[in-house]
Amino acid sequence: MTVTDRIDRFVIDPFGADIPGESTRLRALGPVVPVELPGGIPAWAPTGHDVLKQLILDPQVSKDPRRHWKLWPEIGEHPSWGWILGWVGVVNMLSTYGADHTRLRKLVSPSFTHRRTEAMRPRVEAVTAELLDALESAGADGDVVDVKAGFAHPLPMRIICDLFGVPDEMREDTARLIAAIMDTTDPSPEHAAFVQQQIGTVLPALIAHRSEHPGDDLTTELIRVRDEDGDRLSDEELLYTLLLVIGAGFETTVNLIGNAVVALLRRPEQLAAVRAGKITWNAVVDETLRVHPSIAALPLRFAVTDIKVGDVTIPAGDAIITTYAAAGLDPAHYGPDADVFDASRGADDHLAFGIGVHRCIGAPLARMEALTALPALFDRFPELRLAVGEGELRQVPSFIAFGWQEVPVRLDA
């Protein structure tokens, strides 16, 4: 299969305006469907939980485009494909395979152990309390406040920047860079060039700052590894590892918190059950990750050999997107009401954090932040309610990210 193939392809909405509906339409077409990503990139989309799990765990599915994507040499011929370089044109854990992936993961994973995550809990609690104080002041006169902008975004952003030693004056640029990568609505060469320019400016500035002013932070630790042994971590790998762990370390948690808030406010009976102790906050987090995973679809993986899925064969060298949203909403796995948020169902086998060797190393930190933020928010504001109608919330403009642009609320009745 080449870019000029004649296969009928389902065109993925770059705005992600109706991710659940799109997942349903894809599922009706089969277990794995040929799709067209923004800019005309051809790929395959698994449409159910079990198929996605099978492909993630298959050792014949790679994440290295340089070795296993047959269209990799053609990227320069397609200006509208430039946006994908922010995802697969980098060299980090997200885009490597085999020994390279193992080496890079081993360098970062000790920083996200259970012990280190627990050591951060007091800081997470302190930032949570500070942000809730500010939110209370902003909404004191009954004014509408945005829980995302005032709470769900700054909490994980501040924690990950503390962890990696990002100075205050660089944090806004860092957030802008990650937002630009997540925006899949503009496949233009200009947008791709802007993203690459930002990657080449923001992160080298952080590396230079921490090289000159080392501290007790993970950027300093990674710089030390590079300087001591360039065979373990090259300059390029240092840059793109920081891009991955800083971006994934806050953007996904922003949506996890925001999506959980919206889900509970839309289903007050479940919120009441949580407050009464009948449903745990852990169950709320898992159900949020199942129904509203922070990442709806992640580009890209690649078939190392021909892979048969049912009656369909994914040819060697073809690209595959990792469809977490479709997997979580699969009625064959979760029942006919799979699209309904129900934290009492206990569905903790979701794939939102990945599975196998590529499971998200930041999952314990994301979960700890959400389990700190959510009960604190609802304890502080027991009358919290949405300030807009259900259909007025706007999805972030992305087929990758799954979350709301704003979460407008009133804090009391």
Side-chain angles (χ1 to χ4, degrees), residues 44 51 56 60 63 76 86 111 139 166 171 213 262 276 300 309 326 364 391:
W44 292 87
V51 170
I56 291 176
Q60 295 306 308
K63 298 196 80 173
S111 302
V166 181
R171 296 186 178 192
H213 306 285
V262 171
L300 286 170
V309 179

Side-chain angles (χ1 to χ4, degrees), residues 264-277:
L264 289 174
L265 292 180
R266 284 176 166 176
R267 298 187 69 81
E269 77 286 354
Q270 293 203 35
L271 178 56
V274 174
R275 286 173 168 160

